[in-house]
């Protein structure tokens, strides 16, 4: 693994660890917002796989958009975002 990839995974690791304590939809949504705003964090698939963040997809409608946003950051394109 090259240093850039390792740096990105290290940046995401703290958010993955915090996801276990983000038990409410609001807390999980805030975590997504923090992760997508953090410098050096541009790998998001692992965060999508955590239980509390994945639950946003089927949770209260006002938080489902955070899951969609994270999916766009993980796999989407600029056209998906626009």
């Amino acid at each position: 693994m090259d240093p850039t990839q390792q740096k990105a995974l290290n940046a995401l690791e703290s958010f993955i660890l915090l996801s276990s304590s983000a038990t409410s939809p609001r807390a999980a949504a805030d975590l997504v917002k923090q992760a997508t705003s953090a410098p050096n964090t541009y790998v998001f698939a692992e965060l999508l796989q955590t239980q509390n963040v994945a639950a946003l997809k089927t949770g209260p409608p006002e938080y489902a958009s955070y899951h969609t946003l994270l999916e766009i950051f993980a796999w989407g394109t600029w056209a998906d975002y626009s």
Side-chain angles (χ1 to χ4, degrees), residues 36 42-46 48 68-77:
T36 55
Y42 54 87
V43 177
F44 299 98
E46 291 85 356
L48 272 170
T68 303
L69 175 69
L70 197 56
E71 284 181 322
I72 292 170
F73 270 71
W75 300 303
T77 64

Side-chain angles (χ1 to χ4, degrees), residues 21-72:
S21 63
T23 55
S24 72
R26 180 171 179 84
D30 286 344
L31 184 65
V32 168
K33 191 173 5 175
Q34 291 171 16
T36 55
S37 299
N40 299 318
T41 305
Y42 54 87
V43 177
F44 299 98
E46 291 85 356
L47 188 58
L48 272 170
Q49 295 171 354
T50 63
Q51 182 179 3
N52 293 329
V53 173
L56 289 172
K57 187 172 188 172
T58 57
E62 64 266 26
Y63 298 111
S65 61
Y66 288 93
H67 189 274
T68 303
L69 175 69
L70 197 56
E71 284 181 322
I72 292 170

